[in-house]
Amino acid sequence: MAQRAVWLISHESGTPLGGIVKFSRRYPTVEKRAKVFNGASYVPVPEDGPFLKALLFELRLLDDEKDFLESRDSCSHINKTSIYGVPVGGEELWPVVAFLKNGMIYACVPLVEQTLSPRPPLISISGISQGFELLFGVQDFLSSGQKTDSELNTKLSQLSDLLLQTCPFGTLLDANLQNSLDSINSASVTHLQKQPAWKTGTYKGKPQVSISITEKVNSMQYDKQEIADTWQVVGVVTCKCDLEGSMPNVTISLSLPTNGSPLQDILVHPCVTSLDSAILTSSSIDAMDDSAFSGPYKFPLTPPLESFNLCYYTSQVPVPPILGFYQVKEEEVQLKITVNLKLHESVKNSFEFCEAHIPFYNRGPITHVEYKASFGQLEVFREKSLLVWIIGQKFPKSMEISLSGTITFGAKNHEKQPFDQICIGGTAYLKLHFRILDYTLTGCYVDQHSVQVFASGKPKISTYRKLISSDYYIWNSKAPAPVTYGSLLLVRCHN
């Protein structure tokens, strides 16, 4: 007995879709079970937009769908059970429990623990009765004492946390949501009165909460058809909560913009008290699709006194922030280099610093350099056989810059010149170093107003974001590039 998804939809005539999804919750673990149980008859749960339109169509609530349709309106399809088959993408999602009450549509998709072809009798599907019980419980919670839109919005904002307690992993434990809310509030008061064993002291002073999101982007670019470029974002959320009381409670929410890249492989600090199952099941190993959980990512916690890392995550963004091309041609004791860099249009063009380091291993010292740079300045470290292209704090309006030049080397001195077992001959790389403040590549951010603090006094909430380059390499396109992780480690140990 479990639910695959739950929706609350406000039926509003005149809106583009005929209604607005006020709340939705999916249970990825239950969805995986449905795929196994249903086999070839499995139909995935759609996104909110397509489901909203399909459900309103089935309920005859769309403004422009009043004509008679045989598949929906014939006498053989008279519905007396509030259980529907909703057409989605050429298939039919069944069973869908849905009913309209006081302008609000309550809907859920129960798990059917067997194949759906042929359809089993409704009485054999235990998840249907549980779905009705859950929806009636949500209806009672929203309607009790609710008089204004602001009170309704407050209760809708509490649903996410309440369902973590009353319906974990899609299995209903308690349909009385108000009792659960009272229990949570009572437990919070009780916890504040106890000093946990792991907390050696309490904070005294002005309450404040500081939250910092740091993303590091890694990239390997080869400009070769036979070798795919790779890139990935690794993020960490660091917090410092200066709050009075022995056991203050805090809820921090990470949000993404509409086009943000979903967070994956999330690891949380032990102080986090509960977590949505969708956060834990989002993995970079699985293929990305439109159903990937995209937040908000809520972390209820009891913070320690010291600064701590709330969570770590990865994300696969569509493109790297800077696309590069690097080419090296060897002519006797000289090297001719060409570098082209392009900042992606979606990236914030405001750097704290941006530099391209171009090392030359297994050669003598640099004796002469002739170069032409379309932007920035070039510094030469002769004894280190290193060029540093200082790009600065902004790319030009074209977002593209280039560097070309000829480098002459002197005689080798193995004791002074840098040596590398990988960068032999034409095998060479350029490494980018940059930092962008008040920006993340995934778009991940913390809204100060979404931070909930249950402690004495009103705290000052501070949030920070930054993007930093980590292992950001662009390899010589004219030579074989190392592609193994071991080779990367060998390169790193010289930096």
Side-chain angles (χ1 to χ4, degrees), residues 101 198 210 220 223 230 234 252 281 393 430 433 442 486 490:
K101 187 72 173 179
W198 52 265
S210 176
M220 286 283 184
D223 194 41
T230 62
V234 179
I252 296 174
T281 55
Q393 297 179 326
L430 171 156
H433 299 260
T442 61
L490 289 173

Side-chain angles (χ1 to χ4, degrees), residues 197-252:
W198 52 265
K199 199 168 186 179
T200 57
T202 57
Y203 172 79
K204 295 292 183 181
K206 186 176 181 180
Q208 53 188 357
V209 176
S210 176
I211 307 166
S212 175
I213 303 175
T214 301
E215 289 187 351
K216 294 184 178 181
V217 57
N218 309 315
S219 181
M220 286 283 184
Q221 300 180 33
Y222 305 105
D223 194 41
K224 292 176 178 291
Q225 291 185 350
E226 65 274 18
I227 305 177
D229 295 346
T230 62
W231 59 89
Q232 187 185 48
V233 171
V234 179
V236 58
V237 181
T238 304
C239 302
K240 182 71 166 67
C241 301
D242 295 328
L243 301 170
E244 292 187 345
S246 58
M247 201 73 166
N249 290 311
V250 180
T251 298
I252 296 174

Side-chain angles (χ1 to χ4, degrees), residues 23 111 143 171 176 245 297 355 409 429 495:
F23 174 84
L111 171 67
S143 59
T171 301
N176 193 327
Y297 305 84
E355 299 176 352
F409 298 89
Y429 67 84
N495 292 287

Side-chain angles (χ1 to χ4, degrees), residues 88-377:
V88 178
E91 299 178 296
E92 189 175 58
L93 180 66
W94 182 92
V96 177
V97 178
F99 59 85
L100 175 66
K101 187 72 173 179
N102 297 329
M104 186 75 75
I105 300 172
Y106 300 81
C108 67
V109 180
L111 171 67
V112 180
E113 298 180 347
Q114 63 189 88
T115 181
L116 299 176
S117 181
R119 286 185 178 177
L122 296 181
I123 196 170
S124 67
I125 305 174
S126 57
I128 290 180
S129 58
Q130 186 195 71
F132 275 111
E133 187 178 4
L134 171 62
L135 296 180
F136 287 143
V138 174
Q139 178 196 341
D140 291 342
F141 172 71
L142 294 182
S143 59
S144 62
Q146 180 253 319
K147 297 179 180 178
T148 65
D149 289 342
S150 61
E151 290 175 341
L152 174 62
N153 292 333
T154 299
K155 291 197 172 186
L156 287 172
S157 67
Q158 295 171 334
L159 270 182
S160 182
D161 291 335
L162 283 176
L163 288 183
L164 286 176
Q165 306 292 329
T166 61
C167 193
F169 300 101
T171 301
L172 183 64
L173 301 180
D174 185 2
N176 193 327
L177 274 65
Q178 186 61 50
N179 281 352
S180 298
L181 180 62
D182 295 340
S183 298
I184 292 173
N185 293 336
S186 175
S188 299
V189 173
T190 303
H191 288 164
L192 288 171
Q193 297 172 351
K194 296 180 180 180
Q195 179 75 17
W198 52 265
K199 199 168 186 179
T200 57
T202 57
Y203 172 79
K204 295 292 183 181
K206 186 176 181 180
Q208 53 188 357
V209 176
S210 176
I211 307 166
S212 175
I213 303 175
T214 301
E215 289 187 351
K216 294 184 178 181
V217 57
N218 309 315
S219 181
M220 286 283 184
Q221 300 180 33
Y222 305 105
D223 194 41
K224 292 176 178 291
Q225 291 185 350
E226 65 274 18
I227 305 177
D229 295 346
T230 62
W231 59 89
Q232 187 185 48
V233 171
V234 179
V236 58
V237 181
T238 304
C239 302
K240 182 71 166 67
C241 301
D242 295 328
L243 301 170
E244 292 187 345
S246 58
M247 201 73 166
N249 290 311
V250 180
T251 298
I252 296 174
S253 297
L254 303 182
S255 301
L256 295 175
T258 305
N259 60 344
S261 300
L263 309 185
Q264 301 170 320
D265 307 322
I266 297 176
L267 298 175
V268 300
H269 192 275
C271 71
V272 176
T273 55
S274 62
L275 208 58
D276 192 323
S277 61
I279 296 178
L280 294 174
T281 55
S282 180
S283 170
S284 60
I285 298 177
D286 300 330
M288 285 288 292
D289 55 40
D290 294 338
S291 64
F293 183 70
S294 56
Y297 305 84
K298 290 190 175 183
F299 301 93
L301 58 113
T302 52
L305 291 175
E306 67 277 4
S307 177
F308 64 99
N309 294 328
L310 173 63
C311 70
Y312 298 87
Y313 62 84
T314 67
S315 182
Q316 189 60 55
V317 295
V319 292
I322 299 178
L323 292 170
F325 169 81
Y326 180 41
Q327 189 177 92
V328 181
K329 294 182 180 179
E330 188 164 8
E331 297 180 358
E332 297 180 354
V333 295
Q334 290 184 333
L335 289 182
K336 289 188 176 181
I337 66 168
T338 302
V339 181
N340 296 321
L341 299 177
K342 181 179 180 180
L343 180 67
H344 193 268
E345 59 185 9
S346 65
V347 178
K348 181 180 179 181
N349 189 12
S350 179
F351 295 81
E352 186 178 13
F353 65 86
C354 184
E355 299 176 352
H357 289 207
I358 310 174
F360 299 97
Y361 295 104
N362 312 317
R363 300 179 183 276
I366 297 174
T367 58
H368 184 69
V369 177
E370 293 182 1
Y371 72 93
K372 180 180 179 180
S374 67
F375 197 78
Q377 299 177 341

